[in-house]
């Protein structure tokens, strides 16, 4: 009885080893068929090590020899794996197109002289989803640089249309400053935005992420220089102030586009140069508050000069490899991540990130026009999270 008791477990263990080896070999063969050769090789080696005297081990040794032979015949430098698809432009363009659709939902009823709130409600209900769907259709074929160029062109064109309507006093009474007609302002803003979208769509096929960043940053700096320069020169005429702001802003946009493409700027470096100008400008504001210069023009001259100096130092002191990981800048993370896409984004425990500010429209009352409301664009500059 004792011998029987010893023999049965021994036979059972032998059968169990054969079965286990067979199962592992079958699993390894399945992985091999799917192309997971490293996993298959590891399983074959485990069968040989744990169950050396089984039929499964013999099959595992044969497959290992075949895998080694195929590895010896493989090319020395296999083709590199395809880079993962960058979807940041897709996401950002959908966000912008949704906002632009909401703006159209407000602007179209205004052009149609809608009197009740129902038309504006319907416009908002339809505008957002329509803008999102339109962005979804076109965004899949857009690179990051092209998506940002088109979205900024639409925003910039809207701003230009609004500004030139006030500059030319469209629909207003002669001699009345800032009295352009509401319908005229909305119409030119719509025309400018659509013209910007179409123009950028045709001309931005090869725009890089860095050139797109330099373009929109250049337009923002040009706008600031136009406002500050007109104030320093004491241009009291409202039309002259608007014209200076718009024309110098366009000059900044062109200069930024040329600098980005000619010097092959990365998005990271373009934003770091701009950050230098921002630090210089606010430093100039601090100096003006301390020294209290006489006159508004002198007060604007100080931050104007220090922001120019900051941009210059930023260009001299920054390098292409500084700070940003390959393939993605801090600006891209700020614009496409969970942080609000303001110019400067900071949260507790995270570094300061420079992002793409997405302007959004709103209406404000004008006390000089009996409380009538007009459309303005807000540009978020700073977001702090504690």
């Amino acid at each position: 009885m004792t011998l029987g008791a010893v023999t049965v477990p021994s036979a059972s263990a032998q059968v169990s080893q054969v079965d286990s080896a067979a199962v592992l070999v079958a699993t390894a063969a399945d992985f091999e068929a799917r192309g997971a050769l490293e996993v298959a090789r590891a399983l074959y080696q485990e069968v040989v090590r744990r169950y050396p005297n089984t039929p499964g081990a013999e099959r595992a040794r044969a497959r290992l020899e075949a895998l080694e032979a195929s590895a010896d015949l493989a090319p020395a430098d296999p083709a590199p794996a395809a880079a993962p698809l960058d979807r940041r432009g897709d996401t950002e363009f959908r966000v912008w197109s949704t906002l632009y659709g909401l703006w159209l939902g407000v602007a179209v009823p205004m052009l149609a002289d809608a009197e009740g709130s129902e038309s504006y409600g319907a416009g908002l209900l339809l505008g957002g989803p329509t803008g999102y769907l339109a962005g979804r259709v076109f965004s899949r074929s857009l690179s990051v640089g092209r998506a940002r160029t088109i979205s900024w062109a639409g925003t910039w064109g809207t701003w230009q249309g609004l500004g030139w309507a006030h500059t030319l006093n469209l629909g207003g009474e002669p001699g009345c400053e800032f009295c352009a007609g509401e319908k005229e302002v909305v119409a030119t803003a719509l025309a400018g935005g659509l013209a910007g979208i179409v123009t950028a769509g045709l001309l931005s096929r090869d725009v890089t992420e860095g050139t797109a960043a330099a373009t929109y940053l250049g337009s923002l700096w040009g706008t600031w220089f136009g406002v500050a320069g007109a104030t320093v020169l004491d241009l009291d005429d409202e039309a002259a102030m608007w014209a200076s702001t718009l024309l110098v802003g366009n000059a900044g946009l062109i200069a930024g586009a040329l600098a980005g493409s000619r010097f092959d700027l990365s998005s990271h470096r373009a934003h770091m140069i701009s950050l230098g100008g921002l630090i210089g400008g606010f430093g100039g504001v601090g100096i003006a508050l301390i020294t209290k210069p006489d006159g508004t023009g002198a007060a604007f001259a100080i931050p104007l000069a220090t922001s120019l100096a900051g941009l210059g130092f930023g260009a001299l002191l920054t390098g292409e490899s500084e700070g940003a990981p390959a393939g993605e800048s801090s600006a891209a993370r700020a614009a496409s991540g969970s942080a609000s896409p303001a110019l400067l984004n900071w949260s507790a425990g995270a570094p300061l990130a420079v992002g793409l500010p997405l302007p959004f429209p709103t209406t404000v009352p004008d006390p000089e026009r009996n409380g009538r409301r007009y459309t303005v664009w807000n540009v978020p500059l700073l977001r702090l999270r504690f």
Side-chain angles (χ1 to χ4, degrees):
M1 296 296 292
T2 303
L3 290 176
V6 173
T7 302
V8 172
S10 177
S12 176
Q14 180 65 23
V15 172
S16 176
Q17 288 185 0
V18 172
D19 292 341
S20 298
V23 171
L24 287 176
V25 169
T27 305
D30 183 60
F31 276 109
E32 183 180 351
R34 298 181 184 182
L37 301 183
E38 292 301 323
V39 178
R41 184 179 286 107
L43 288 173
Y44 287 139
Q45 291 171 348
E46 183 68 10
V47 171
V48 173
R49 185 183 68 84
R50 296 186 61 180
Y51 313 113
N53 299 320
T54 61
E58 295 179 5
R59 290 194 296 272
R61 292 188 188 96
R63 292 311 309 154
L64 284 172
E65 292 176 0
L67 289 175
E68 292 299 329
S70 62
D72 293 338
L73 296 176
D77 296 317
L85 185 62
D86 191 345
R87 307 297 300 183
R88 289 176 292 137
D90 185 359
T91 303
E92 293 175 25
F93 191 77
R94 292 191 199 187
V95 172
W96 178 83
S97 65
T98 302
L99 294 175
Y100 195 78
L102 291 172
W103 151 244
L104 292 178
V106 174
V108 172
M110 293 176 69
L111 288 179
D113 291 327
E115 297 181 356
S117 61
E118 294 83 359
S119 299
Y120 293 95
L124 291 174
L125 285 173
L126 296 175
T130 302
Y132 174 81
L133 293 176
R136 183 180 180 183
V137 170
F138 294 105
S139 63
R140 296 183 182 275
S141 61
L142 299 180
S143 65
V144 177
R146 195 178 184 197
R148 292 178 180 174
T149 300
I150 295 175
S151 59
W152 184 252
T155 302
W156 186 252
T158 302
W159 156 249
Q160 287 287 310
L162 183 150
W164 285 111
H166 287 297
T167 302
L168 302 176
N169 197 30
L170 299 180
E173 299 177 1
C176 178
E177 295 183 348
F178 208 75
C179 292
E182 186 176 89
K183 288 186 64 174
E184 287 76 7
V185 170
V186 174
T188 52
L190 278 177
L194 295 175
I197 294 171
V198 173
T199 302
L202 295 175
L203 301 180
S204 65
R205 296 186 182 278
D206 299 321
V207 173
T208 64
E209 184 178 348
T211 300
T215 300
Y216 88 78
L217 289 170
S219 66
L220 292 178
W221 281 111
T223 301
W224 154 243
F225 294 146
V227 173
T231 306
V232 171
L233 296 175
D234 197 21
L235 299 180
D236 294 330
D237 183 64
E238 191 76 29
M241 176 72 77
W242 272 104
S244 172
T245 302
L246 297 169
L247 290 174
V248 182
N250 286 328
L253 182 142
I254 296 172
L258 292 176
S261 58
R262 179 163 299 182
F263 297 105
D264 195 22
L265 293 179
S266 68
S267 177
H268 169 71
R269 191 179 183 197
H271 281 87
M272 293 306 294
I273 293 172
S274 183
L275 183 59
L278 196 65
I279 293 173
F282 277 103
V285 173
I287 295 173
L289 293 175
I290 294 173
T291 59
K292 298 179 180 179
D294 296 332
T296 304
F300 269 78
I302 297 175
L304 176 61
T306 55
S307 60
L308 281 169
L311 289 173
F313 278 111
L316 292 174
L317 299 178
T318 56
E320 289 296 337
S321 61
E322 182 181 337
E328 183 177 354
S329 66
S330 59
R333 293 195 304 272
S336 61
S338 59
S340 172
L343 182 62
L344 293 177
N345 301 272
W346 180 86
S347 59
L352 180 68
V354 185
L356 170 63
L358 293 176
F360 58 92
T362 186
T363 58
V364 296
D366 183 2
E368 297 182 359
R369 300 173 64 188
N370 298 323
R372 291 184 61 187
R373 303 183 71 86
Y374 61 95
T375 303
V376 299
W377 284 82
N378 293 295
V379 180
L381 298 179
L382 179 65
R383 178 181 174 85
L384 301 176
R385 300 181 65 182
F386 300 93

